[in-house]
Amino acid sequence: MKKIIIFLLMAFLLVGCETINPIDPIAPEEKLTLLEGSNLDSEYIYWYGRHQEIEDSQYFYYTATGFKANFTGRVVDITLSLEDKNNDIYFSVSKDGSDLLDDEVIILSEATQSFRFSFDTYGDHEIKIIKRSEPEDGITSLVSLETNGSFNEIVDLESDAPHFLIMGASGISGHGALGYPGQPRTTENSSSLHSFGYLSASHFNGTYEFVSNSGWGLAFGYNDTSGENNIYKAYDAIGIDSNQDIIDVTYDHQMIPDVIIINVGGNDYSAVINRLSGFEKDQKIQEFKAMVAAFILKLREDAPEAHIFWTMTDGSLNGTAATQVINLLDPDDLACVHVVVIKQVGDDGDLAGAHNHASYITHQKSADLIIEAINLYTNIQ
C-alpha cells in the first residue's frame, strides 16, 4: 500500500512540475580560449597600424604594426606566419604594460612559428606584440592566439589618444639605429621602435601607423627610379610586400591622424636627381616639388585637423626643396604644416648607426625636437 501511495505522490509531483514550465537555468557565458579567423579582428584584439584578413589570418606589412590582447590566465600562445622571407623578422613584446623598448624580443624565422608567453600569476593580463622590421624583410601575418584561461573584450582606453601617421623611408624606419659604424644593416640592428617617429608618438601615449620602407622616395627612389612605386601611392594602399611592390588593396583610412610626421626625399635625390644634370635634373626637381605639394594637399584634405611635421636635416637638398614648396602654401594650409630640422648622422659627435644611418641616440635627440614642435603648434598633451 505504501508503495502505491509513494508512486502516486511522485506522479503528482512530476505532473505538477510539467505544468508550471520552469525557466531553464542560465547557461554560463561562453569564454573564448582561442582566437582565430574573424576573431583576430574583433573586440578581443586591438590593432596598431594597417592590416587585412586573408584566408583566416590577419596580414600586417608595415613596421611598427602589431596588436594587443587581454586575457585571464597565465599562459598565452601566439602563432605567426612568415612568407616570402628575405630576413628574420624582429618583434618587441610588452607584458602588462611594460615598455616595448625594455621587454622581450622575439624572432620570427620560420614559415609558421608559435611563441609562448608566461606570467607569474593566473589573473588578468595584457600582451602586446609590435613588429620592428620592414616590409621588405618578409610578409607577416597573425594566425592565432590561445590561452589556458579566456580572452576578454578590450575596452578601448586609447580612443582619446592622439593618432600619429608616420611616413617616409630609412630615416624614419630605424634603419640601422641599434648598430655601429661600419656595420651593414640587419633586422637585428634595425628597429622602428627606436626611431624618432615612434619615440615622438610614445611620448604623447599616442597610437601609431607607419607607411614606410627603406630606399623609397616620395616620387622615386632606389626601389623604383621610374616612380611607379613610391610613398605617395603607398599612402593609399594596405601595405608594401617583400618584393617592394605596393599591395593592390586600397586602405580605407579608418584612423584619422592628429599628427603626421614625414621624413622623405633623400632617396629621390640620391637615387635619381643627383645622378642627372642640366635640363633633366631640373625637370626631376620640379617633379619632386610637384609631388611635395600634391602630397601635402592630399593629406590636408584627408585629415584637415591634423598638423603635418615635415622633417629634414640641416641643409639637405630634398629638405630645402620641400621647404620652398611649403612656404608657397596658402595661409590656411601653412598654419598646419611645419618644417622641423632634425639631427643628422654624427651630429653632436654621436656615433652613426649601421649602414651610415642615424643611431638610437640621434633618433632620441630628433624626437625631442619634434616633441618640442608638437608642443608649440598643437594642444596635444
Side-chain angles (χ1 to χ4, degrees), residues 118-194:
S118 299
F119 293 74
D120 292 336
T121 61
Y122 187 101
D124 293 337
H125 298 291
E126 176 188 277
I127 186 77
K128 181 190 294 185
I129 296 183
I130 306 295
K131 180 168 70 172
R132 67 188 214 187
S133 300
E134 298 193 70
E136 66 184 61
D137 296 314
I139 295 176
T140 53
S141 62
L142 173 62
V143 179
S144 67
L145 295 84
E146 187 170 12
T147 180
N148 66 331
S150 59
F151 290 99
N152 305 316
E153 294 185 12
I154 290 181
V155 178
D156 187 5
L157 299 178
E158 297 184 298
S159 58
D160 295 329
H163 184 57
F164 284 70
L165 175 59
I166 302 166
M167 294 186 287
S170 59
I172 209 165
S173 69
H175 180 113
L178 302 179
Y180 301 95
Q183 284 185 319
R185 178 263 184 190
T186 67
T187 48
E188 181 179 9
N189 65 29
S190 299
S191 169
S192 57
L193 303 184
H194 293 79

Side-chain angles (χ1 to χ4, degrees), residues 59-287:
Y59 281 71
F60 54 107
Y61 308 94
Y62 285 118
T63 189
T65 303
F67 56 90
K68 73 175 179 180
N70 295 337
F71 67 97
T72 302
R74 196 183 73 82
V75 175
V76 61
D77 292 330
I78 297 178
T79 301
L80 298 166
S81 178
L82 172 57
E83 302 171 30
D84 296 338
K85 173 184 171 181
N86 289 321
N87 294 292
D88 291 345
I89 307 295
Y90 279 66
F91 296 82
S92 287
V93 180
S94 166
K95 296 165 69 174
D96 289 339
S98 62
D99 194 323
L100 277 170
L101 304 187
D102 296 333
D103 214 325
E104 187 174 355
V105 173
I106 61 173
I107 305 170
L108 177 62
S109 58
E110 306 296 332
T112 303
Q113 200 167 340
S114 293
F115 301 89
R116 170 161 290 188
F117 303 94
S118 299
F119 293 74
D120 292 336
T121 61
Y122 187 101
D124 293 337
H125 298 291
E126 176 188 277
I127 186 77
K128 181 190 294 185
I129 296 183
I130 306 295
K131 180 168 70 172
R132 67 188 214 187
S133 300
E134 298 193 70
E136 66 184 61
D137 296 314
I139 295 176
T140 53
S141 62
L142 173 62
V143 179
S144 67
L145 295 84
E146 187 170 12
T147 180
N148 66 331
S150 59
F151 290 99
N152 305 316
E153 294 185 12
I154 290 181
V155 178
D156 187 5
L157 299 178
E158 297 184 298
S159 58
D160 295 329
H163 184 57
F164 284 70
L165 175 59
I166 302 166
M167 294 186 287
S170 59
I172 209 165
S173 69
H175 180 113
L178 302 179
Y180 301 95
Q183 284 185 319
R185 178 263 184 190
T186 67
T187 48
E188 181 179 9
N189 65 29
S190 299
S191 169
S192 57
L193 303 184
H194 293 79
S195 73
F196 63 78
Y198 171 82
L199 294 172
S200 299
S202 179
H203 174 85
F204 294 98
N205 296 312
T207 57
Y208 39 89
E209 171 187 346
F210 270 65
V211 176
S212 68
N213 198 79
S214 292
W216 282 54
L218 178 60
F220 20 75
Y222 287 101
N223 65 302
D224 186 354
T225 56
S226 74
E228 182 65 25
N229 281 326
N230 53 41
I231 291 296
Y232 180 91
K233 292 182 179 179
Y235 163 71
D236 278 328
I238 200 72
I240 296 170
D241 67 21
S242 57
N243 294 318
Q244 300 206 47
D245 291 322
I246 293 174
I247 295 170
D248 189 21
V249 175
T250 301
Y251 179 63
D252 60 9
H253 298 289
Q254 59 186 4
M255 294 286 286
I256 305 299
D258 300 288
V259 174
I260 301 172
I261 301 174
I262 300 173
N263 182 256
V264 72
N267 294 318
D268 294 77
Y269 271 73
S270 59
V272 176
I273 294 174
N274 290 344
R275 301 184 180 194
L276 301 174
S277 61
F279 175 77
E280 287 184 317
K281 184 173 185 176
D282 290 340
Q283 186 178 33
K284 286 298 182 184
I285 291 174
Q286 293 308 313
E287 287 182 31

Side-chain angles (χ1 to χ4, degrees), residues 3-17:
K3 291 182 178 180
I4 296 174
I5 292 173
I6 292 172
F7 177 80
L8 291 173
L9 179 60
M10 291 178 65
F12 173 78
L13 291 173
L14 287 170
V15 171
C17 287

